[in-house]
Structure formats: C-alpha cells, structure tokens
Amino acid sequence: MSLNLSASDYGSLLFHGNCIACHIETKAVSAPSIMQIKEKYLISFPKKEDFVAYMSEWVQNPKEETSIMLEAVKRYELMPYLHYDLQSLKEISTYIYETDFAKEHKGH
Ligand code: HEC
C-alpha cells in the first residue's frame, strides 16, 4: 500500500507532529495558540508567499530581534531552537496559512 498524501495532508501531519505540543489550535497554554500567531502574521504578511517565507525562516532560527510577537516573547520566553529543516517549515507554514483553525477545531 502506498501513502497517497496531498501537500496539505503532509503539512498537517508535520504541524501536528512538531508544533501542536506547544501551539494548540485555539488556546494559549505554554505558548500562543496557532490562531493567535496566524492572526498576527496575517496583519504583517497578508500575502501567502511572504507569510510562508517569514514564518519558515523565523522558526528555523528564532530570534527576539526578528520576532513580530514581542509581547509573546516577554510572556512565554523566546521559542526554543528546534532543528527543523526549511522545506518542512515551508510545508507547515503553508498549512497554517491555508487552514481555518476555528472551523477545524469545531469538527473535533
Ligand atoms: C517547545 C515549545 C514550542 C514548539 C515545539 C514550537 N513552538 Fe513556536 N513558539 C513557542 C513559544 C514559547 C513562542 C512565543 C515566544 C516567541 O514568539 O518566541 C513561539 C512563537 C512562535 C511564532 C511567533 C514568532 C514571533 O514572531 O515571535 C511562530 C511563527 C511559531 N512559534 C511557529 C512554530 C511552528 C511552525 C512550530 C512547529 C514547527 C513551533 N512553533 C513549535 C514555543 C514552541
């Protein structure tokens, strides 16, 4: 049997495997929820290519100087460096951009 995953299934798997432990869809616990991050990012980067480029590069190398969520850095401390590769981070960022987390969450 072969795995027949679409690009967005793949992004979803990667997100759930790597990010959800800290970034729950709709609720901020030890880190901002992914919805909060997405909202903030969409203000600065409304275009998908900019959103994906900035997020994947930032997550690959989290730094206070390049954070666009300084209030979150103060509140939770800077996100740790986690050795993700850029290609996976692009898949994840695309998935985040394309997913309506409020809607997804209701279906759970
Ligand atoms: C060990 C916990 C942890 C994991 C795992 C984690 N994060 Fe974070 N992340 C944080 C914390 C804490 C913050 C808030 C402080 C900050 O912005 O640095 C944050 C902030 C962010 C931000 C905001 C950036 C900014 O401008 O400050 C983005 C985007 C982000 N995370 C994406 C991701 C993605 C995508 C993944 C999965 C690949 C991920 N995170 C995995 C803890 C985590």
Side-chain angles (χ1 to χ4, degrees), residues 14-15 17-23 30-32 34 37-38 40-41 54-56 58-59 62-64 66-80 82 84 88-89 92-93 96:
L14 288 172
F15 173 76
N18 294 296
C19 316
I20 202 97
C22 295
H23 300 296
S30 61
I34 203 63
I37 294 176
K38 180 175 175 178
K40 187 82 189 203
Y41 258 72
Y54 200 93
M55 186 179 285
S56 42
W58 191 87
V59 172
K63 277 204 192 97
E64 187 166 343
T66 49
S67 164
I68 62 163
M69 297 186 69
L70 282 172
E71 66 297 348
V73 176
K74 287 207 185 77
R75 183 150 171 205
Y76 305 102
E77 296 197 340
L78 186 67
M79 177 164 150
L82 293 162
Y84 299 118
S88 302
L89 291 172
I92 293 171
S93 308
I96 293 171

mmCIF file of all heavy atoms in Angstrom, residues 14-15 17-23 30-32 34 37-38 40-41 54-56 58-59 62-64 66-80 82 84 88-89 92-93 96, ligand 1:
data_model
loop_
_atom_site.group_PDB
_atom_site.id
_atom_site.type_symbol
_atom_site.label_atom_id
_atom_site.label_comp_id
_atom_site.label_asym_id
_atom_site.label_seq_id
_atom_site.Cartn_x
_atom_site.Cartn_y
_atom_site.Cartn_z
ATOM 1 N N LEU A 14 2.925 17.278 9.616
ATOM 2 C CA LEU A 14 4.130 17.901 10.177
ATOM 3 C C LEU A 14 3.771 18.877 11.286
ATOM 4 O O LEU A 14 4.428 18.933 12.319
ATOM 5 C CB LEU A 14 4.909 18.636 9.082
ATOM 6 C CG LEU A 14 5.637 17.760 8.060
ATOM 7 C CD1 LEU A 14 6.183 18.626 6.930
ATOM 8 C CD2 LEU A 14 6.767 16.995 8.735
ATOM 9 N N PHE A 15 2.718 19.649 11.072
ATOM 10 C CA PHE A 15 2.293 20.597 12.099
ATOM 11 C C PHE A 15 1.898 19.841 13.368
ATOM 12 O O PHE A 15 2.331 20.183 14.477
ATOM 13 C CB PHE A 15 1.120 21.463 11.604
ATOM 14 C CG PHE A 15 0.548 22.320 12.694
ATOM 15 C CD1 PHE A 15 1.233 23.463 13.109
ATOM 16 C CD2 PHE A 15 -0.633 21.989 13.328
ATOM 17 C CE1 PHE A 15 0.740 24.247 14.151
ATOM 18 C CE2 PHE A 15 -1.136 22.766 14.364
ATOM 19 C CZ PHE A 15 -0.452 23.901 14.773
ATOM 20 N N GLY A 17 2.714 16.880 14.301
ATOM 21 C CA GLY A 17 3.835 16.169 14.893
ATOM 22 C C GLY A 17 4.836 17.075 15.601
ATOM 23 O O GLY A 17 5.495 16.646 16.536
ATOM 24 N N ASN A 18 4.968 18.317 15.133
ATOM 25 C CA ASN A 18 6.081 19.155 15.605
ATOM 26 C C ASN A 18 5.688 20.406 16.374
ATOM 27 O O ASN A 18 6.503 20.944 17.110
ATOM 28 C CB ASN A 18 6.930 19.596 14.414
ATOM 29 C CG ASN A 18 7.628 18.438 13.751
ATOM 30 O OD1 ASN A 18 8.468 17.794 14.362
ATOM 31 N ND2 ASN A 18 7.259 18.160 12.524
ATOM 32 N N CYS A 19 4.511 20.896 16.182
ATOM 33 C CA CYS A 19 4.178 22.224 16.710
ATOM 34 C C CYS A 19 3.066 22.191 17.758
ATOM 35 O O CYS A 19 3.031 23.031 18.649
ATOM 36 C CB CYS A 19 3.750 23.154 15.586
ATOM 37 S SG CYS A 19 4.792 23.062 14.113
ATOM 38 N N ILE A 20 2.171 21.220 17.638
ATOM 39 C CA ILE A 20 0.946 21.235 18.444
ATOM 40 C C ILE A 20 1.234 21.074 19.944
ATOM 41 O O ILE A 20 0.451 21.539 20.775
ATOM 42 C CB ILE A 20 -0.037 20.142 17.931
ATOM 43 C CG1 ILE A 20 -1.464 20.467 18.349
ATOM 44 C CG2 ILE A 20 0.343 18.751 18.396
ATOM 45 C CD1 ILE A 20 -2.245 21.165 17.280
ATOM 46 N N ALA A 21 2.359 20.447 20.271
ATOM 47 C CA ALA A 21 2.690 20.276 21.691
ATOM 48 C C ALA A 21 2.741 21.632 22.389
ATOM 49 O O ALA A 21 2.345 21.752 23.552
ATOM 50 C CB ALA A 21 4.025 19.550 21.840
ATOM 51 N N CYS A 22 3.223 22.639 21.702
ATOM 52 C CA CYS A 22 3.296 23.974 22.290
ATOM 53 C C CYS A 22 2.199 24.892 21.763
ATOM 54 O O CYS A 22 1.663 25.711 22.506
ATOM 55 C CB CYS A 22 4.647 24.604 22.015
ATOM 56 S SG CYS A 22 6.000 23.720 22.838
ATOM 57 N N HIS A 23 1.858 24.766 20.488
ATOM 58 C CA HIS A 23 0.859 25.657 19.888
ATOM 59 C C HIS A 23 -0.446 24.913 19.636
ATOM 60 O O HIS A 23 -0.653 24.346 18.565
ATOM 61 C CB HIS A 23 1.367 26.236 18.568
ATOM 62 C CG HIS A 23 2.610 27.032 18.713
ATOM 63 N ND1 HIS A 23 2.658 28.212 19.443
ATOM 64 C CD2 HIS A 23 3.870 26.845 18.246
ATOM 65 C CE1 HIS A 23 3.898 28.697 19.389
ATOM 66 N NE2 HIS A 23 4.655 27.892 18.683
ATOM 67 N N SER A 30 1.313 27.131 27.023
ATOM 68 C CA SER A 30 2.726 27.464 27.264
ATOM 69 C C SER A 30 3.285 28.350 26.163
ATOM 70 O O SER A 30 4.428 28.766 26.209
ATOM 71 C CB SER A 30 3.541 26.180 27.357
ATOM 72 O OG SER A 30 3.443 25.487 26.135
ATOM 73 N N ALA A 31 2.471 28.618 25.159
ATOM 74 C CA ALA A 31 2.874 29.428 24.011
ATOM 75 C C ALA A 31 1.589 29.960 23.377
ATOM 76 O O ALA A 31 0.508 29.427 23.646
ATOM 77 C CB ALA A 31 3.646 28.565 23.016
ATOM 78 N N PRO A 32 1.682 31.003 22.552
ATOM 79 C CA PRO A 32 0.459 31.482 21.905
ATOM 80 C C PRO A 32 -0.184 30.378 21.062
ATOM 81 O O PRO A 32 0.506 29.500 20.558
ATOM 82 C CB PRO A 32 0.949 32.636 21.019
ATOM 83 C CG PRO A 32 2.423 32.693 21.115
ATOM 84 C CD PRO A 32 2.871 31.770 22.181
ATOM 85 N N ILE A 34 -1.987 28.700 17.802
ATOM 86 C CA ILE A 34 -1.623 28.909 16.401
ATOM 87 C C ILE A 34 -2.567 29.930 15.758
ATOM 88 O O ILE A 34 -2.177 30.671 14.861
ATOM 89 C CB ILE A 34 -1.534 27.563 15.629
ATOM 90 C CG1 ILE A 34 -0.638 27.725 14.403
ATOM 91 C CG2 ILE A 34 -2.878 27.003 15.248
ATOM 92 C CD1 ILE A 34 0.811 28.062 14.724
ATOM 93 N N ILE A 37 -1.074 33.333 16.526
ATOM 94 C CA ILE A 37 0.098 33.569 15.685
ATOM 95 C C ILE A 37 -0.339 33.900 14.260
ATOM 96 O O ILE A 37 0.121 34.859 13.655
ATOM 97 C CB ILE A 37 1.031 32.333 15.693
ATOM 98 C CG1 ILE A 37 1.617 32.136 17.087
ATOM 99 C CG2 ILE A 37 2.122 32.475 14.645
ATOM 100 C CD1 ILE A 37 2.478 30.896 17.245
ATOM 101 N N LYS A 38 -1.280 33.118 13.758
ATOM 102 C CA LYS A 38 -1.737 33.338 12.388
ATOM 103 C C LYS A 38 -2.343 34.734 12.223
ATOM 104 O O LYS A 38 -2.056 35.434 11.258
ATOM 105 C CB LYS A 38 -2.750 32.249 12.016
ATOM 106 C CG LYS A 38 -3.263 32.403 10.602
ATOM 107 C CD LYS A 38 -4.172 31.264 10.210
ATOM 108 C CE LYS A 38 -4.757 31.549 8.835
ATOM 109 N NZ LYS A 38 -5.621 30.456 8.381
ATOM 110 N N LYS A 40 -1.748 37.444 13.907
ATOM 111 C CA LYS A 40 -0.686 38.444 13.959
ATOM 112 C C LYS A 40 0.124 38.440 12.656
ATOM 113 O O LYS A 40 0.439 39.493 12.105
ATOM 114 C CB LYS A 40 0.211 38.100 15.155
ATOM 115 C CG LYS A 40 1.252 39.104 15.457
ATOM 116 C CD LYS A 40 0.670 40.236 16.272
ATOM 117 C CE LYS A 40 1.673 41.364 16.393
ATOM 118 N NZ LYS A 40 1.426 42.213 17.546
ATOM 119 N N TYR A 41 0.444 37.271 12.192
ATOM 120 C CA TYR A 41 1.213 37.157 10.949
ATOM 121 C C TYR A 41 0.450 37.718 9.753
ATOM 122 O O TYR A 41 1.038 38.343 8.884
ATOM 123 C CB TYR A 41 1.591 35.685 10.700
ATOM 124 C CG TYR A 41 3.018 35.394 11.065
ATOM 125 C CD1 TYR A 41 3.411 35.337 12.398
ATOM 126 C CD2 TYR A 41 3.989 35.202 10.085
ATOM 127 C CE1 TYR A 41 4.729 35.095 12.740
ATOM 128 C CE2 TYR A 41 5.306 34.950 10.420
ATOM 129 C CZ TYR A 41 5.670 34.900 11.746
ATOM 130 O OH TYR A 41 6.988 34.661 12.072
ATOM 131 N N TYR A 54 8.491 34.284 5.736
ATOM 132 C CA TYR A 54 8.926 34.839 7.021
ATOM 133 C C TYR A 54 8.782 33.808 8.134
ATOM 134 O O TYR A 54 9.680 33.618 8.946
ATOM 135 C CB TYR A 54 8.142 36.117 7.372
ATOM 136 C CG TYR A 54 8.885 36.959 8.393
ATOM 137 C CD1 TYR A 54 9.743 37.977 7.975
ATOM 138 C CD2 TYR A 54 8.769 36.716 9.764
ATOM 139 C CE1 TYR A 54 10.451 38.737 8.895
ATOM 140 C CE2 TYR A 54 9.466 37.467 10.692
ATOM 141 C CZ TYR A 54 10.310 38.480 10.250
ATOM 142 O OH TYR A 54 11.017 39.225 11.163
ATOM 143 N N MET A 55 7.650 33.114 8.154
ATOM 144 C CA MET A 55 7.425 32.167 9.244
ATOM 145 C C MET A 55 8.435 31.026 9.201
ATOM 146 O O MET A 55 9.023 30.660 10.227
ATOM 147 C CB MET A 55 6.003 31.615 9.217
ATOM 148 C CG MET A 55 5.699 30.746 10.434
ATOM 149 S SD MET A 55 4.033 30.072 10.485
ATOM 150 C CE MET A 55 3.069 31.501 10.951
ATOM 151 N N SER A 56 8.670 30.460 8.024
ATOM 152 C CA SER A 56 9.571 29.307 7.986
ATOM 153 C C SER A 56 10.993 29.730 8.355
ATOM 154 O O SER A 56 11.692 29.005 9.065
ATOM 155 C CB SER A 56 9.513 28.578 6.649
ATOM 156 O OG SER A 56 9.470 29.456 5.583
ATOM 157 N N TRP A 58 11.847 32.311 10.292
ATOM 158 C CA TRP A 58 11.895 32.668 11.706
ATOM 159 C C TRP A 58 11.950 31.411 12.586
ATOM 160 O O TRP A 58 12.752 31.312 13.514
ATOM 161 C CB TRP A 58 10.712 33.566 12.115
ATOM 162 C CG TRP A 58 10.930 34.138 13.490
ATOM 163 C CD1 TRP A 58 11.590 35.282 13.800
ATOM 164 C CD2 TRP A 58 10.537 33.530 14.739
ATOM 165 N NE1 TRP A 58 11.642 35.431 15.176
ATOM 166 C CE2 TRP A 58 11.003 34.381 15.766
ATOM 167 C CE3 TRP A 58 9.843 32.364 15.079
ATOM 168 C CZ2 TRP A 58 10.792 34.100 17.120
ATOM 169 C CZ3 TRP A 58 9.636 32.080 16.427
ATOM 170 C CH2 TRP A 58 10.106 32.945 17.432
ATOM 171 N N VAL A 59 11.095 30.429 12.268
ATOM 172 C CA VAL A 59 11.036 29.223 13.098
ATOM 173 C C VAL A 59 12.338 28.430 12.984
ATOM 174 O O VAL A 59 12.786 27.799 13.939
ATOM 175 C CB VAL A 59 9.811 28.356 12.711
ATOM 176 C CG1 VAL A 59 9.821 27.007 13.423
ATOM 177 C CG2 VAL A 59 8.521 29.100 13.049
ATOM 178 N N PRO A 62 14.813 31.105 15.579
ATOM 179 C CA PRO A 62 14.044 32.072 16.371
ATOM 180 C C PRO A 62 14.948 33.095 17.059
ATOM 181 O O PRO A 62 15.918 32.717 17.713
ATOM 182 C CB PRO A 62 13.333 31.201 17.426
ATOM 183 C CG PRO A 62 13.457 29.798 16.953
ATOM 184 C CD PRO A 62 14.703 29.741 16.119
ATOM 185 N N LYS A 63 14.631 34.356 16.865
ATOM 186 C CA LYS A 63 15.410 35.446 17.470
ATOM 187 C C LYS A 63 14.478 36.543 17.924
ATOM 188 O O LYS A 63 13.532 36.888 17.214
ATOM 189 C CB LYS A 63 16.338 36.059 16.414
ATOM 190 C CG LYS A 63 17.631 35.330 16.203
ATOM 191 C CD LYS A 63 18.654 36.313 15.640
ATOM 192 C CE LYS A 63 19.886 35.614 15.126
ATOM 193 N NZ LYS A 63 19.832 35.407 13.678
ATOM 194 N N GLU A 64 14.798 37.110 19.077
ATOM 195 C CA GLU A 64 13.981 38.203 19.576
ATOM 196 C C GLU A 64 13.986 39.386 18.600
ATOM 197 O O GLU A 64 12.965 40.026 18.385
ATOM 198 C CB GLU A 64 14.497 38.635 20.956
ATOM 199 C CG GLU A 64 13.590 39.650 21.592
ATOM 200 C CD GLU A 64 13.878 39.853 23.085
ATOM 201 O OE1 GLU A 64 14.554 39.005 23.700
ATOM 202 O OE2 GLU A 64 13.409 40.877 23.600
ATOM 203 N N THR A 66 14.042 39.543 15.469
ATOM 204 C CA THR A 66 13.212 39.415 14.269
ATOM 205 C C THR A 66 11.787 38.964 14.603
ATOM 206 O O THR A 66 10.982 38.750 13.712
ATOM 207 C CB THR A 66 13.851 38.410 13.280
ATOM 208 O OG1 THR A 66 14.183 37.218 13.999
ATOM 209 C CG2 THR A 66 15.110 38.978 12.646
ATOM 210 N N SER A 67 11.478 38.825 15.895
ATOM 211 C CA SER A 67 10.129 38.426 16.296
ATOM 212 C C SER A 67 9.131 39.526 15.948
ATOM 213 O O SER A 67 9.434 40.712 16.073
ATOM 214 C CB SER A 67 10.107 38.198 17.808
ATOM 215 O OG SER A 67 8.775 38.177 18.279
ATOM 216 N N ILE A 68 7.947 39.125 15.498
ATOM 217 C CA ILE A 68 6.876 40.115 15.335
ATOM 218 C C ILE A 68 5.852 39.958 16.462
ATOM 219 O O ILE A 68 4.775 40.537 16.429
ATOM 220 C CB ILE A 68 6.196 40.034 13.943
ATOM 221 C CG1 ILE A 68 5.531 38.679 13.728
ATOM 222 C CG2 ILE A 68 7.195 40.336 12.829
ATOM 223 C CD1 ILE A 68 4.520 38.685 12.568
ATOM 224 N N MET A 69 6.189 39.126 17.466
ATOM 225 C CA MET A 69 5.283 38.933 18.605
ATOM 226 C C MET A 69 6.065 39.128 19.906
ATOM 227 O O MET A 69 6.160 38.229 20.739
ATOM 228 C CB MET A 69 4.663 37.533 18.552
ATOM 229 C CG MET A 69 3.802 37.342 17.310
ATOM 230 S SD MET A 69 2.918 35.761 17.285
ATOM 231 C CE MET A 69 1.723 35.975 18.614
ATOM 232 N N LEU A 70 6.585 40.330 20.079
ATOM 233 C CA LEU A 70 7.449 40.574 21.242
ATOM 234 C C LEU A 70 6.710 40.411 22.562
ATOM 235 O O LEU A 70 7.298 39.989 23.564
ATOM 236 C CB LEU A 70 8.062 41.975 21.141
ATOM 237 C CG LEU A 70 9.232 42.063 20.154
ATOM 238 C CD1 LEU A 70 9.648 43.510 19.958
ATOM 239 C CD2 LEU A 70 10.418 41.226 20.632
ATOM 240 N N GLU A 71 5.425 40.713 22.557
ATOM 241 C CA GLU A 71 4.671 40.527 23.808
ATOM 242 C C GLU A 71 4.637 39.043 24.189
ATOM 243 O O GLU A 71 4.692 38.694 25.367
ATOM 244 C CB GLU A 71 3.280 41.179 23.740
ATOM 245 C CG GLU A 71 2.244 40.641 22.769
ATOM 246 C CD GLU A 71 2.596 40.753 21.270
ATOM 247 O OE1 GLU A 71 3.556 41.445 20.865
ATOM 248 O OE2 GLU A 71 1.888 40.123 20.491
ATOM 249 N N ALA A 72 4.613 38.146 23.175
ATOM 250 C CA ALA A 72 4.648 36.699 23.453
ATOM 251 C C ALA A 72 6.036 36.274 23.948
ATOM 252 O O ALA A 72 6.158 35.423 24.826
ATOM 253 C CB ALA A 72 4.261 35.910 22.205
ATOM 254 N N VAL A 73 7.070 36.875 23.390
ATOM 255 C CA VAL A 73 8.430 36.561 23.841
ATOM 256 C C VAL A 73 8.576 36.930 25.321
ATOM 257 O O VAL A 73 9.121 36.169 26.121
ATOM 258 C CB VAL A 73 9.485 37.313 22.997
ATOM 259 C CG1 VAL A 73 10.888 37.060 23.536
ATOM 260 C CG2 VAL A 73 9.409 36.880 21.529
ATOM 261 N N LYS A 74 8.034 38.091 25.708
ATOM 262 C CA LYS A 74 8.105 38.520 27.110
ATOM 263 C C LYS A 74 7.309 37.595 28.011
ATOM 264 O O LYS A 74 7.734 37.245 29.097
ATOM 265 C CB LYS A 74 7.547 39.941 27.251
ATOM 266 C CG LYS A 74 8.491 40.965 26.696
ATOM 267 C CD LYS A 74 8.306 42.333 27.383
ATOM 268 C CE LYS A 74 9.186 43.352 26.695
ATOM 269 N NZ LYS A 74 8.563 43.765 25.395
ATOM 270 N N ARG A 75 6.160 37.182 27.522
ATOM 271 C CA ARG A 75 5.262 36.404 28.357
ATOM 272 C C ARG A 75 5.688 34.943 28.505
ATOM 273 O O ARG A 75 5.596 34.365 29.581
ATOM 274 C CB ARG A 75 3.875 36.489 27.717
ATOM 275 C CG ARG A 75 2.808 35.805 28.484
ATOM 276 C CD ARG A 75 1.487 36.509 28.241
ATOM 277 N NE ARG A 75 0.429 35.705 28.812
ATOM 278 C CZ ARG A 75 -0.826 35.753 28.394
ATOM 279 N NH1 ARG A 75 -1.168 36.569 27.412
ATOM 280 N NH2 ARG A 75 -1.731 35.001 28.961
ATOM 281 N N TYR A 76 6.152 34.330 27.387
ATOM 282 C CA TYR A 76 6.433 32.884 27.406
ATOM 283 C C TYR A 76 7.917 32.567 27.266
ATOM 284 O O TYR A 76 8.291 31.394 27.301
ATOM 285 C CB TYR A 76 5.709 32.187 26.250
ATOM 286 C CG TYR A 76 4.238 32.421 26.186
ATOM 287 C CD1 TYR A 76 3.694 33.317 25.274
ATOM 288 C CD2 TYR A 76 3.361 31.726 27.031
ATOM 289 C CE1 TYR A 76 2.327 33.525 25.199
ATOM 290 C CE2 TYR A 76 1.994 31.930 26.957
ATOM 291 C CZ TYR A 76 1.482 32.834 26.040
ATOM 292 O OH TYR A 76 0.127 33.031 25.964
ATOM 293 N N GLU A 77 8.748 33.573 27.007
ATOM 294 C CA GLU A 77 10.152 33.390 26.627
ATOM 295 C C GLU A 77 10.236 32.987 25.160
ATOM 296 O O GLU A 77 9.307 32.434 24.592
ATOM 297 C CB GLU A 77 10.879 32.365 27.504
ATOM 298 C CG GLU A 77 10.936 32.853 28.937
ATOM 299 C CD GLU A 77 11.976 32.129 29.782
ATOM 300 O OE1 GLU A 77 12.391 31.022 29.409
ATOM 301 O OE2 GLU A 77 12.358 32.685 30.810
ATOM 302 N N LEU A 78 11.404 33.266 24.595
ATOM 303 C CA LEU A 78 11.615 33.024 23.174
ATOM 304 C C LEU A 78 11.421 31.543 22.836
ATOM 305 O O LEU A 78 11.814 30.664 23.600
ATOM 306 C CB LEU A 78 13.034 33.469 22.808
ATOM 307 C CG LEU A 78 13.406 33.437 21.331
ATOM 308 C CD1 LEU A 78 12.599 34.476 20.547
ATOM 309 C CD2 LEU A 78 14.894 33.691 21.157
ATOM 310 N N MET A 79 10.810 31.303 21.691
ATOM 311 C CA MET A 79 10.662 29.919 21.233
ATOM 312 C C MET A 79 12.039 29.259 21.107
ATOM 313 O O MET A 79 12.964 29.853 20.599
ATOM 314 C CB MET A 79 9.962 29.927 19.872
ATOM 315 C CG MET A 79 9.828 28.544 19.292
ATOM 316 S SD MET A 79 8.645 28.488 17.959
ATOM 317 C CE MET A 79 9.378 27.155 17.030
ATOM 318 N N PRO A 80 12.167 28.025 21.604
ATOM 319 C CA PRO A 80 13.481 27.369 21.509
ATOM 320 C C PRO A 80 13.846 27.017 20.063
ATOM 321 O O PRO A 80 12.982 26.815 19.226
ATOM 322 C CB PRO A 80 13.312 26.092 22.341
ATOM 323 C CG PRO A 80 11.847 25.859 22.441
ATOM 324 C CD PRO A 80 11.173 27.189 22.288
ATOM 325 N N LEU A 82 14.805 24.487 17.367
ATOM 326 C CA LEU A 82 14.384 23.081 17.351
ATOM 327 C C LEU A 82 14.873 22.261 16.153
ATOM 328 O O LEU A 82 14.348 21.186 15.885
ATOM 329 C CB LEU A 82 12.858 22.997 17.448
ATOM 330 C CG LEU A 82 12.253 23.453 18.783
ATOM 331 C CD1 LEU A 82 10.768 23.755 18.642
ATOM 332 C CD2 LEU A 82 12.455 22.427 19.885
ATOM 333 N N TYR A 84 14.533 22.334 12.862
ATOM 334 C CA TYR A 84 13.668 21.945 11.755
ATOM 335 C C TYR A 84 14.350 22.298 10.433
ATOM 336 O O TYR A 84 15.087 23.266 10.352
ATOM 337 C CB TYR A 84 12.343 22.706 11.815
ATOM 338 C CG TYR A 84 11.527 22.456 13.055
ATOM 339 C CD1 TYR A 84 11.232 23.498 13.921
ATOM 340 C CD2 TYR A 84 11.036 21.188 13.343
ATOM 341 C CE1 TYR A 84 10.459 23.281 15.057
ATOM 342 C CE2 TYR A 84 10.273 20.973 14.478
ATOM 343 C CZ TYR A 84 9.984 22.017 15.329
ATOM 344 O OH TYR A 84 9.226 21.806 16.443
ATOM 345 N N SER A 88 10.462 21.503 5.376
ATOM 346 C CA SER A 88 9.335 21.096 6.222
ATOM 347 C C SER A 88 8.637 22.315 6.800
ATOM 348 O O SER A 88 7.405 22.356 6.896
ATOM 349 C CB SER A 88 9.818 20.220 7.386
ATOM 350 O OG SER A 88 10.485 19.087 6.897
ATOM 351 N N LEU A 89 9.427 23.313 7.178
ATOM 352 C CA LEU A 89 8.824 24.520 7.754
ATOM 353 C C LEU A 89 7.970 25.261 6.722
ATOM 354 O O LEU A 89 6.941 25.839 7.064
ATOM 355 C CB LEU A 89 9.905 25.441 8.324
ATOM 356 C CG LEU A 89 10.584 24.873 9.573
ATOM 357 C CD1 LEU A 89 11.771 25.723 9.975
ATOM 358 C CD2 LEU A 89 9.593 24.768 10.739
ATOM 359 N N ILE A 92 4.708 23.398 6.612
ATOM 360 C CA ILE A 92 3.928 23.694 7.815
ATOM 361 C C ILE A 92 3.329 25.106 7.717
ATOM 362 O O ILE A 92 2.146 25.306 7.996
ATOM 363 C CB ILE A 92 4.812 23.567 9.082
ATOM 364 C CG1 ILE A 92 5.222 22.107 9.299
ATOM 365 C CG2 ILE A 92 4.076 24.095 10.307
ATOM 366 C CD1 ILE A 92 6.267 21.906 10.401
ATOM 367 N N SER A 93 4.129 26.069 7.305
ATOM 368 C CA SER A 93 3.645 27.451 7.225
ATOM 369 C C SER A 93 2.528 27.579 6.184
ATOM 370 O O SER A 93 1.569 28.322 6.390
ATOM 371 C CB SER A 93 4.782 28.403 6.845
ATOM 372 O OG SER A 93 5.876 28.221 7.701
ATOM 373 N N ILE A 96 -0.549 26.271 7.784
ATOM 374 C CA ILE A 96 -1.088 27.241 8.746
ATOM 375 C C ILE A 96 -1.833 28.354 7.999
ATOM 376 O O ILE A 96 -2.939 28.740 8.373
ATOM 377 C CB ILE A 96 0.036 27.828 9.640
ATOM 378 C CG1 ILE A 96 0.597 26.731 10.550
ATOM 379 C CG2 ILE A 96 -0.472 29.014 10.471
ATOM 380 C CD1 ILE A 96 1.856 27.125 11.322
HETATM 381 C C1 HEC B 1 8.756 23.781 22.871
HETATM 382 C C2 HEC B 1 7.610 24.615 22.562
HETATM 383 C C3 HEC B 1 7.442 25.059 21.119
HETATM 384 C C4 HEC B 1 7.393 24.294 19.965
HETATM 385 C C5 HEC B 1 7.554 22.789 19.832
HETATM 386 C C6 HEC B 1 7.100 25.198 18.879
HETATM 387 N N1 HEC B 1 6.997 26.477 19.361
HETATM 388 FE FE1 HEC B 1 6.590 28.157 18.255
HETATM 389 N N2 HEC B 1 6.729 29.303 19.940
HETATM 390 C C7 HEC B 1 6.930 28.837 21.224
HETATM 391 C C8 HEC B 1 6.844 29.953 22.155
HETATM 392 C C9 HEC B 1 7.014 29.869 23.674
HETATM 393 C C10 HEC B 1 6.570 31.109 21.382
HETATM 394 C C11 HEC B 1 6.309 32.540 21.910
HETATM 395 C C12 HEC B 1 7.549 33.361 22.064
HETATM 396 C C13 HEC B 1 8.142 33.757 20.753
HETATM 397 O O1 HEC B 1 7.453 34.383 19.902
HETATM 398 O O2 HEC B 1 9.325 33.439 20.545
HETATM 399 C C14 HEC B 1 6.519 30.673 19.989
HETATM 400 C C15 HEC B 1 6.311 31.515 18.922
HETATM 401 C C16 HEC B 1 6.137 31.102 17.606
HETATM 402 C C17 HEC B 1 5.924 32.006 16.495
HETATM 403 C C18 HEC B 1 5.849 33.538 16.597
HETATM 404 C C19 HEC B 1 7.105 34.152 16.058
HETATM 405 C C20 HEC B 1 7.384 35.555 16.500
HETATM 406 O O3 HEC B 1 7.358 36.444 15.648
HETATM 407 O O4 HEC B 1 7.676 35.783 17.711
HETATM 408 C C21 HEC B 1 5.779 31.221 15.379
HETATM 409 C C22 HEC B 1 5.527 31.679 13.962
HETATM 410 C C23 HEC B 1 5.906 29.843 15.801
HETATM 411 N N3 HEC B 1 6.141 29.813 17.163
HETATM 412 C C24 HEC B 1 5.787 28.763 14.965
HETATM 413 C C25 HEC B 1 6.029 27.440 15.350
HETATM 414 C C26 HEC B 1 5.956 26.312 14.446
HETATM 415 C C27 HEC B 1 5.578 26.413 12.968
HETATM 416 C C28 HEC B 1 6.280 25.198 15.168
HETATM 417 C C29 HEC B 1 6.429 23.790 14.678
HETATM 418 C C30 HEC B 1 7.358 23.572 13.598
HETATM 419 C C31 HEC B 1 6.556 25.634 16.523
HETATM 420 N N4 HEC B 1 6.387 26.994 16.601
HETATM 421 C C32 HEC B 1 6.932 24.795 17.572
HETATM 422 C C33 HEC B 1 7.165 27.524 21.585
HETATM 423 C C34 HEC B 1 7.197 26.444 20.714
#
